[in-house]
Amino acid sequence: MRILGIETSCDDTGVAVFDSTCGLLAHRLASQIAVHAPFGGIVPELAARDHIRVLLPLVKTVLNEAGCGASRVDGVAYTSGPGLSGALLVGAAVGRSLAWAWKVPATAIHHMEAHLLSPMLEDRSPSFPFLALLVSGGHTLLADVRGVGRYTVLGESVDDAVGEAFDKTAQLLGLGFPGGPAIAHAALQGNPKRFRFPRPMTDRPGLDFSFSGLKTFAVNTAKQHVLDANNVADIAAAFQEAAVDTLLIKSRRALAATSLKRLVVAGGVGANQRLRERLQELSSERDVEAFFPRHEFCTDNGAMVAYAGWQRLQKGGNQALAFTVRPRWSLAELTPP
Ligand code: KG4
Ligand code: ZN
């Protein structure tokens, strides 16, 4: 079965073709960083307009690269939430229309489910059950994953997502957009021990997260220092260490509570090198296998949507022609295909 996947939930247009026998045949990403960078964050209306501009040409390119004309696509998968409504509508309208024109089934995909299954695109792929740490610009959560559509959310952020905290702290430090890679880069030159950031909500039981306090601590620290390269590097390093440490403490707790023996990390912040190192240490400490998608599949992409689409369409997940998008949509609402 050959699936076209379309991702337009935020500021990346991702398109891919996944084949259930041959694997990933082609995938491409059109990033909107240049569109949003002058504003220091994502402007929803500009995101939607840019998806409209690039999506169809990107679909054509990816189909050519995959060596398949439309007649060889067996199904279409598009992200229908959570995300920015205008941006989601572009992918949903195009995906649904292409499926109608090609007379093939289509399915709406939950963006976080696609992230969560993304490590399965790799040769070394996790089997169920596993603990998933999903860390992106919009979400931070730990889930007990028993199968496709069988997710129990164990804990999530009560305020900012961890990626959002990276982005806001980077902006404050004048490091630009997107903030995650910029903080990670600046932190390489910094001393993580000079400032002691809090590890929010780790002093009480439970698996929820809070990251707005880290951002506030960064604001206060920045106010007390000249923002030269040294101080910026030290604040970035201390912030990153605190964010990563907090994720580690909760992941360790969740592994102990569930006795799960596999840990999957996904979402944009999963590309963070320091987080990956610390999770590797945790996996040795607890004798747990750790799985990470390659960097380009941590951040938003079409491949994960095509893969999740295959998982659902192979079980007959075709949906009605009338489509909708769900800007807010809990992972816990999903059911097996
Ligand atoms: O999954 P993603 O591409 O989009 C959402 O679904 O939100 O995640 C984007 C987030 C941004 O907040 C970005 O700053 C963060 O992932 N990010 C990183 C790194 N690369 C991307 N955060 C920390 N370190 C990185 N290397
Ligand atoms: Zn994402």
Side-chain angles (χ1 to χ4, degrees):
M1 198 175 191
R2 198 166 275 192
I3 308 294
L4 174 73
I6 296 175
E7 158 61 38
T8 63
S9 68
C10 194
D11 60 337
D12 290 305
T13 318
V15 177
V17 176
F18 177 82
D19 182 289
S20 53
T21 310
C22 309
L24 199 59
L25 297 183
H27 64 99
R28 272 192 182 254
L29 191 77
S31 163
Q32 298 181 358
I33 288 178
V35 173
H36 303 289
F39 303 94
I42 296 159
V43 184
E45 180 58 26
L46 295 184
R49 288 186 205 180
D50 208 61
H51 288 309
I52 292 174
R53 192 176 63 81
V54 306
L55 181 54
L56 275 175
L58 203 62
V59 168
K60 269 191 182 166
T61 305
V62 169
L63 287 178
N64 276 338
E65 287 175 355
C68 58
S71 59
R72 299 208 45 212
V73 170
D74 304 306
V76 179
Y78 56 88
T79 305
S80 68
L84 305 171
S85 54
L88 289 165
L89 274 169
V90 179
V94 169
R96 177 54 67 187
S97 305
L98 288 175
W100 179 75
W102 296 339
K103 300 185 174 53
V104 296
T107 191
I109 293 295
H110 190 292
H111 182 76
M112 300 313 288
E113 173 174 75
H115 270 305
L116 189 152
L117 300 176
S118 63
M120 294 181 160
L121 285 161
E122 304 301 347
D123 291 339
R124 187 177 156 270
S125 161
S127 43
F128 300 114
F130 55 75
L131 176 73
L133 173 66
L134 290 184
V135 279
S136 73
H139 294 83
T140 308
L141 61 86
L142 281 161
D144 180 337
V145 178
R146 298 280 149 176
V148 176
R150 297 178 61 209
Y151 314 125
T152 306
V153 176
L154 304 171
E156 56 192 324
S157 181
V158 298
D159 43 49
D160 292 356
V162 61
E164 195 179 347
F166 268 91
D167 292 335
K168 288 178 176 168
T169 303
Q171 195 179 11
L172 164 87
L173 296 177
L175 291 173
F177 169 86
I183 293 257
H185 187 254
L188 290 173
Q189 312 299 326
N191 170 8
K193 299 210 168 107
R194 180 166 152 218
F195 302 108
R196 175 76 190 170
F197 276 61
R199 272 59 175 161
M201 292 181 76
T202 54
D203 56 353
R204 65 192 93 161
L207 296 169
D208 283 339
F209 302 91
S210 162
F211 287 101
S212 67
L214 280 190
K215 180 194 63 194
T216 311
F217 196 89
V219 170
N220 293 336
T221 312
K223 272 190 195 148
Q224 291 158 19
H225 297 84
V226 181
L227 289 183
D228 59 17
N230 260 347
N231 287 339
V232 165
D234 287 349
I235 296 172
F239 165 85
Q240 175 175 263
E241 205 55 29
V244 167
D245 214 24
T246 305
L247 295 172
L248 248 288
I249 292 168
K250 296 293 165 99
S251 302
R252 183 184 287 115
R253 232 180 244 182
L255 286 170
T258 56
S259 304
L260 287 166
K261 284 298 184 192
R262 292 177 210 95
L263 169 66
V264 157
V265 184
V269 184
N272 185 277
Q273 202 48 42
R274 184 68 186 136
L275 177 63
R276 290 165 91 104
E277 283 165 19
R278 295 285 311 275
L279 288 169
Q280 282 293 3
E281 288 167 20
L282 175 65
S283 90
S284 319
E285 170 198 317
R286 289 201 58 91
D287 195 20
V288 160
E289 273 186 289
F291 297 86
F292 309 91
R294 71 191 83 161
H295 280 68
E296 62 186 320
F297 293 162
C298 280
T299 43
D300 291 348
N301 64 86
M304 65 182 191
V305 179
Y307 182 81
W310 169 61
Q311 286 283 359
R312 289 194 168 269
L313 285 170
Q314 64 167 335
K315 305 243 169 80
N318 189 24
Q319 289 158 350
L321 271 179
F323 63 86
T324 184
V325 294
R326 305 230 3 221
R328 297 173 69 84
W329 185 8
S330 166
L331 193 62
E333 289 178 49
L334 295 186
T335 52

